[in-house]
Amino acid sequence: MRVIIVGAGQVGSSIAADLADTHDIVVVDRDGDRVDDLTYSLDVLTVGGDGTSLSTLDEAGIDEADMVIASTDDDETNIVVCATARAVSDAFTVARVKNTEYLRTWERSERAFGIDFMVCTNLLAAESIVRVVGIPAARDVDSFADGRVQMAEFEIPPGSPVRDQTVAEADRFEQLTFAAILRDDELEIARGDSVLHERDRVVVIGNPKAVREFATTIAPEEPPGTAEEVVIVGGSEIGYHVARLLGDRGFKPRLIERDGDRARQLAEDLPSAVVMENDATDMDFLEREHVGDADFVVAALDSDEKNLLVSLLARRLGVDRTVAIIDTTEYVELFETVGVDVGVNPREVVAEEITRFTRDGGAENVAIIESDRAEVLEVEIDGESVLAGRPIHESVADLPAGVVIGAITRDDQFITPRGDTVLERGDHVVVFLDACVLDEVTPKL
């Protein structure tokens, strides 16, 4: 496809990097320095100018574009870009927004604003947090096959019962497949004799019950499900959505907000949450409210530094796990090194969502692992698939290393893949792929 990306910030640059190998990419941005940087770092065309201007879009080749992605940091700009593209072309339009009101309007009216697909940064960030709540030690969770299959990434905590066990020893679950182990900068496909070390990140695929049981085995001291007590610090849009989504799942979160007017509004809008008006960096308040007894603290303030401080205070008080919203991408790894369990970068989350949506190859669902180090795909088997009509041990032999068949669903039933399992046309298969074999393997599936 020919794809025009308007906005060369973190989101636009990330999308361009992901798509440049398989599509013709044109990136538009007002900032000449950003445009120059992309010209030298990626195999893309660049245009300096205002993406809402018809003349700029003409220069970018709007007449030949198959897709336009508006990814600037301004909601209204992105909407105007898509509306302009829709007025003068047949290109499929994708807009990134932060304000959920725009998303609600778009959802109620087909192709409102001239937008074919809209993603909301704040809502996606909240959803990524909520998915790991209630699943001990989880860093990331994605669902496949209408919820019948889950992929989860776990970090082995200090003192875990599975620490120093082999995969064969830790794998006591009939409907679970160990896919990979991430250690430092290395990715290892999980084998029976692979050893699980402290702080390793393990990717498993299975039915949701088996994933939860494995989570409890990794961290037996953490309560699973809605028994987990959650404290949210900050009544930002992301903090609000985290509390709302948790309430929908049966949790009773506590939310701390410093601003009195905002706290009162949140108390009205969140009937399942307990909203407290106070400064979350006040140690006396945190101790008085027994925040240290919480199992999970979400830091959703308006500053990376404040979110780090809140997370460190929570850990000092005895909180089991902390998640922090981190707007600066370069800080994520640093914050996780000094004490934050999971750092969520909203721009990275939305970039991955748009990349997932634009991927071709017939995948029905895609999960991106650790910023493109691997992917988990859901594909429906057709007659041309290398997997069709053959036992798994035969078909996998024709594929490179770095491929793991994680789960199968057939007629809405979950099937655990084994070497002698024969895949049939119409089966849905969830496959783990190392990034280095992705382009080679995906067309064969």
Side-chain angles (χ1 to χ4, degrees), residues 154 162 170 173 176 178 202 204 210-218:
F154 296 97
V162 303
F173 309 94
L176 191 73
F178 284 70
V202 183
V204 299
V211 170
R212 288 193 299 271
E213 289 174 348
F214 179 60
T216 303
T217 301
I218 291 177

Side-chain angles (χ1 to χ4, degrees), residues 229 231 254-256 274-279 282-294 317:
E229 184 178 350
V231 174
R254 289 186 284 166
L255 190 152
I256 303 171
V274 175
V275 179
M276 297 174 285
E277 179 190 340
N278 213 298
D279 180 359
D282 182 342
M283 199 69 170
D284 291 337
F285 165 76
L286 297 177
E287 291 176 342
R288 188 168 63 250
E289 294 298 331
H290 303 286
V291 170
D293 294 337
L317 289 170

Side-chain angles (χ1 to χ4, degrees), residues 100 102-110 112 118 123:
T100 53
Y102 289 133
L103 180 66
R104 292 193 183 100
T105 301
W106 178 78
E107 288 174 336
R108 290 183 61 177
S109 175
E110 184 178 356
M118 181 178 281
L123 184 57

Side-chain angles (χ1 to χ4, degrees), residues 371-383:
S371 300
D372 260 352
R373 292 176 68 179
E375 292 189 8
V376 178
L377 311 179
E378 178 189 348
V379 295
E380 182 175 347
I381 301 300
D382 60 23

Side-chain angles (χ1 to χ4, degrees), residues 87-272:
V88 299
S89 76
D90 295 324
F92 190 94
T93 55
V94 179
R96 164 203 174 197
V97 298
K98 289 176 280 190
N99 189 337
T100 53
E101 290 302 317
Y102 289 133
L103 180 66
R104 292 193 183 100
T105 301
W106 178 78
E107 288 174 336
R108 290 183 61 177
S109 175
E110 184 178 356
R111 295 171 71 179
F113 311 120
I115 297 170
D116 293 299
F117 183 64
M118 181 178 281
V119 291
C120 179
T121 305
N122 293 334
L123 184 57
L124 285 172
E127 289 173 343
S128 71
I129 293 169
V130 169
R131 284 197 297 267
V132 303
V133 176
I135 303 181
R139 290 183 50 81
D140 191 16
V141 178
D142 271 288
S143 294
F144 298 85
D146 296 325
R148 286 181 286 274
V149 178
Q150 273 188 342
M151 180 284 299
E153 179 187 342
F154 296 97
E155 181 171 302
I156 307 298
S160 171
V162 303
R163 183 188 60 178
D164 297 329
Q165 289 187 355
T166 64
V167 166
E169 292 169 335
D171 186 5
R172 298 186 290 273
F173 309 94
E174 176 64 24
Q175 296 185 317
L176 191 73
T177 299
F178 284 70
I181 301 167
L182 296 99
R183 181 180 303 132
D184 299 325
D185 293 326
E186 300 296 322
L187 185 150
E188 174 188 349
I189 296 298
R191 311 294 181 194
D193 58 357
S194 300
V195 178
L196 304 176
H197 298 299
E198 184 177 303
R199 298 301 182 190
D200 280 355
R201 296 177 181 181
V202 183
V203 178
V204 299
I205 301 169
N207 78 357
K209 180 180 179 183
V211 170
R212 288 193 299 271
E213 289 174 348
F214 179 60
T216 303
T217 301
I218 291 177
E221 74 284 352
E222 293 187 35
T226 55
E228 196 161 49
E229 184 178 350
V230 182
V231 174
I232 302 162
V233 178
S236 61
E237 272 293 296
I238 294 176
Y240 160 76
H241 285 299
V242 170
R244 178 181 62 81
L245 293 169
L246 287 175
D248 292 343
R249 289 179 52 188
F251 287 83
K252 302 291 184 183
R254 289 186 284 166
L255 190 152
I256 303 171
E257 168 55 42
R258 184 174 187 172
D259 182 83
D261 292 338
R262 178 64 174 166
R264 282 187 288 275
Q265 184 62 51
L266 290 168
E268 293 179 10
D269 295 340
L270 297 168
S272 61

